[in-house]
Amino acid sequence: MSDVLSPDAALAAEIGRLKAAFPKTRELYREVCALMFFRYGITPTANRLYQLVRRGSMGTPTAVLGEFWADLREKSRVRIDHPDLPADLGAAAGELVATLWSRATASADAALDALRGELEVQRVEAQQSVAAARDELGRTESALEQRTAALLAAQVEIRELEKAQAEGHAQRQALEAELARNRAALAARDRELVEVREGFSRDLAKQREAAERAEERLGASEKRALLEIDRERSTATKLHKELDEATRRAERKDADHRRALEAMQAQLGDARHQAGVLQGRLDAIQAENVRLQTEVTTLREAEAHARETRPSAALATPANVRKTPRPTRPPRAVPGAKPGTRRKKTV
């Protein structure tokens, strides 16, 4: 929308066109006088004429202005020529017509001044409307830029959240794989513990059978000793010593098996504790994954709402907006967890 020219600017533009049309100085001053008085209703003065035209000396606009007023007075005088009309009556009629013309001119000038005042008010109101429209346009453009910047920031944050979600998913898969390996190791240790228990049971049964056989031999020896106490006393003593030694060996083996069983049970407890720690880390990562998915859904809804509310002309992303990557949030550490460590198997 183009600005409405002020009266001074319009007058200066008109005088510029008159300078090009009238190269002679006196003619130019006479045309400027007529322009100011008849079109713009401004009473011309010598100083004002010289300030507007800037040609010749200061005496030139004064002389031209005097000629302009003389011509105007001569043209405004009304002469009534009639052959049968007396001279004094003709002069009075001329004065009357001149007075009427002057009053009509004054009334027209007043109406023109009123019209000019209304036009000036309308011009001021139009300028105010233009200024208000420009302010509203500036606020709209500022709001549009802010919404565009917010949309770009939301898009960058969505990409960062998707990246963090992918990293969390990869970390969750790695933890699940590690948990599967630990479960397989725990199952292998359970099978090994079962085998150790079965071996211990077999050894204990053998020791019991040996003890029973020893007791049977002892009973036979006692029977034979009853028959031959004196002759078999030394044999019975030897058999008692062998029995004591076998019992001590059995007790030592039993103690060894018990210590091995306790060590396996301790390893089993450590494995179960490690599996519980890994399960806790997996639960924390799953909760973080759910939170990230919720944030991504919220940001996508905000982006869709911003696309629906902003004007269609702002759909294109400005090329001068700098995209700043947001730092990736590190994964939350589970208290007490030591990933990558395994307890050595003790026998």
Side-chain angles (χ1 to χ4, degrees):
M1 181 182 295
S2 61
D3 295 337
V4 179
L5 293 177
S6 63
D8 293 339
L11 179 61
E14 291 290 340
I15 292 174
R17 286 193 291 271
L18 290 176
K19 285 181 180 180
F22 297 93
K24 293 182 179 181
T25 304
R26 296 182 68 85
E27 293 180 356
L28 178 60
Y29 274 112
R30 188 164 49 250
E31 293 295 329
V32 170
C33 288
L35 178 68
M36 294 175 63
F37 185 76
F38 292 107
R39 182 175 297 182
Y40 290 95
I42 301 174
T43 302
T45 61
N47 291 331
R48 182 64 173 166
L49 288 173
Y50 186 76
Q51 291 176 359
L52 293 174
V53 178
R54 294 288 183 181
R55 284 188 184 179
S57 62
M58 284 294 297
T60 302
T62 303
V64 173
L65 185 60
E67 294 175 358
F68 174 76
W69 290 125
D71 292 341
L72 186 61
R73 283 193 299 271
E74 182 65 24
K75 291 179 180 180
S76 63
R77 184 179 292 113
V78 178
R79 294 185 180 88
I80 301 176
D81 296 330
H82 195 277
D84 296 333
L85 190 66
D88 55 351
L89 185 59
E95 292 295 333
L96 178 59
V97 172
T99 303
L100 292 175
W101 184 83
S102 299
R103 291 183 179 179
T105 304
S107 177
D109 290 339
L112 181 61
D113 292 338
L115 181 60
R116 285 176 179 172
E118 292 178 358
L119 292 176
E120 181 67 19
V121 172
Q122 293 178 359
R123 183 184 63 82
V124 172
E125 291 178 353
Q127 288 179 349
Q128 292 177 355
S129 299
V130 170
R134 286 181 176 176
D135 293 340
E136 184 66 23
L137 180 60
R139 289 192 296 270
T140 304
E141 290 177 352
S142 177
L144 182 60
E145 291 177 358
Q146 292 177 359
R147 290 183 180 179
T148 303
L151 179 60
L152 292 175
Q155 290 177 350
V156 172
E157 189 173 358
I158 286 174
R159 285 193 291 271
E160 291 178 355
L161 289 175
E162 289 177 350
K163 182 179 179 182
Q165 183 180 3
E167 293 177 354
H169 182 66
Q171 187 176 7
R172 185 188 66 181
Q173 290 180 347
L175 290 175
E176 288 178 352
E178 185 177 359
L179 181 61
R181 290 193 298 270
N182 290 328
R183 287 177 177 174
L186 182 61
R189 290 182 182 180
D190 289 338
R191 291 193 297 269
E192 186 177 356
L193 180 61
V194 171
E195 293 177 356
V196 170
R197 287 178 178 176
E198 291 177 353
F200 177 74
S201 298
R202 288 193 297 269
D203 293 340
L204 184 60
K206 291 179 181 180
Q207 293 297 329
R208 287 177 179 175
E209 291 177 358
E212 290 177 356
R213 288 194 297 270
E215 289 178 356
E216 290 177 358
R217 289 195 299 271
L218 181 58
S221 297
E222 287 179 353
K223 289 180 180 179
R224 288 194 298 272
L226 290 174
L227 297 174
E228 298 177 356
I229 295 174
D230 294 335
R231 188 181 60 186
E232 298 296 336
R233 189 185 295 262
S234 59
T235 303
T237 303
K238 184 178 180 180
L239 288 175
H240 279 294
K241 290 180 179 180
E242 290 179 357
L243 179 61
D244 294 337
E245 184 66 25
T247 304
R248 286 193 296 271
R249 285 197 301 271
E251 291 177 353
R252 285 196 299 270
K253 288 184 179 181
D254 191 9
D256 292 338
H257 284 300
R258 287 179 180 177
R259 285 193 297 272
L261 179 61
E262 291 176 355
M264 293 299 293
Q265 289 178 349
Q267 291 180 3
L268 179 60
D270 292 339
R272 289 177 177 174
H273 175 70
Q274 187 175 5
V277 171
L278 291 175
Q279 184 65 37
R281 291 179 60 191
L282 178 59
D283 294 339
I285 289 175
Q286 288 177 350
E288 182 69 16
N289 188 15
V290 171
R291 189 185 66 80
L292 291 176
Q293 289 178 354
T294 304
E295 291 182 1
V296 168
T297 303
T298 304
L299 290 175
R300 284 178 177 172
E301 291 178 355
E303 180 182 2
H305 180 67
R307 287 179 178 176
E308 291 177 358
T309 55
R310 69 176 182 174
S312 59
L315 289 177
T317 302
N320 58 355
V321 179
R322 184 177 181 183
K323 298 180 179 179
T324 304
R326 184 176 180 182
T328 306
R329 180 183 296 175
R332 183 181 298 174
V334 179
K338 295 181 180 180
T341 59
R342 293 182 178 179
R343 185 183 297 275
K344 295 183 180 180
K345 179 180 178 181
T346 57
V347 180

